[in-house]
Amino acid sequence: MGETQKIKKLPVQTLGKIYASAENWDADAEIDGITFSLRPASMNDDIVPVNGVLVAKLKRPRCVDVEFSTCVREVCDNRPKVIDEWNVTIMESEFGDPKYPTTPTMRLEYKNFRPSSDKFEKGCLKVELKIGGEKFEAIEDAVYLNGW
């Protein structure tokens, strides 16, 4: 008879860096939303499949430095206006094979926001992954909202 081997689950230590971009994933010409890979990782930087809740907020950066009527430096902090937000349930099964997990691609469809025609319009994406009583955060501070 075959034995089933239990896979030891490592604790999540970090959400790591996210690289978000605006993408079109259907047949029309408009940008549909934000995509990024979700990568909860252990202390050894191994991907850790989790059940949890992803909370993401897309914000406008705040201009903090103006030269000749043009903003030359923006920051993402707690003061920018939230322009869209999402709550997504994450399941361990989204990480594929438990022995060799992969990072699931998150697709956050614009709900309340529509990009302008400005190709350089940017946003900040703050991501929180809630697992039980723990919370892990990551921020992408230069998401070009019209694609790139």
Side-chain angles (χ1 to χ4, degrees), residues 89-142:
T89 300
I90 305 298
M91 304 299 292
E92 283 186 23
S93 59
E94 295 177 69
F95 293 83
D97 184 344
K99 287 185 181 180
Y100 307 102
T102 57
T103 58
T105 298
M106 306 308 302
R107 287 183 169 179
L108 306 176
E109 187 169 354
Y110 290 144
K111 296 185 297 184
N112 304 313
F113 173 72
R114 293 290 169 254
S116 72
S117 60
D118 178 2
K119 193 71 173 165
F120 299 103
E121 180 179 24
K122 287 191 293 185
C124 312
L125 184 67
K126 179 180 180 183
V127 174
E128 295 177 353
L129 180 59
K130 298 177 181 179
I131 306 165
E134 294 185 276
K135 180 170 69 171
F136 302 90
E137 296 182 356
I139 296 175
E140 168 65 86
D141 59 1

Side-chain angles (χ1 to χ4, degrees), residues 13-136:
Q13 295 294 318
T14 181
L15 192 51
K17 176 83 174 120
I18 58 169
Y19 299 95
S21 61
E23 300 289 338
N24 177 357
W25 52 76
D26 59 19
D28 63 19
E30 297 167 346
I31 296 294
D32 294 309
I34 304 292
T35 65
F36 63 93
S37 292
L38 183 63
R39 194 175 192 288
S42 69
M43 188 170 66
N44 301 329
D45 201 36
D46 295 320
I47 298 168
V48 180
V50 296
N51 291 316
V53 176
L54 179 87
V55 177
K57 292 183 180 182
L58 182 63
K59 299 179 175 187
R60 284 220 188 277
R62 184 171 57 89
C63 183
V64 293
D65 201 358
V66 176
E67 290 181 11
F68 305 107
S69 301
T70 302
C71 184
V72 293
R73 190 168 73 88
E74 299 171 321
V75 297
C76 294
D77 55 22
N78 289 329
R79 291 174 34 197
K81 178 185 174 195
V82 174
I83 54 178
D84 222 332
E85 56 189 311
W86 303 266
N87 287 299
V88 180
T89 300
I90 305 298
M91 304 299 292
E92 283 186 23
S93 59
E94 295 177 69
F95 293 83
D97 184 344
K99 287 185 181 180
Y100 307 102
T102 57
T103 58
T105 298
M106 306 308 302
R107 287 183 169 179
L108 306 176
E109 187 169 354
Y110 290 144
K111 296 185 297 184
N112 304 313
F113 173 72
R114 293 290 169 254
S116 72
S117 60
D118 178 2
K119 193 71 173 165
F120 299 103
E121 180 179 24
K122 287 191 293 185
C124 312
L125 184 67
K126 179 180 180 183
V127 174
E128 295 177 353
L129 180 59
K130 298 177 181 179
I131 306 165
E134 294 185 276
K135 180 170 69 171
F136 302 90

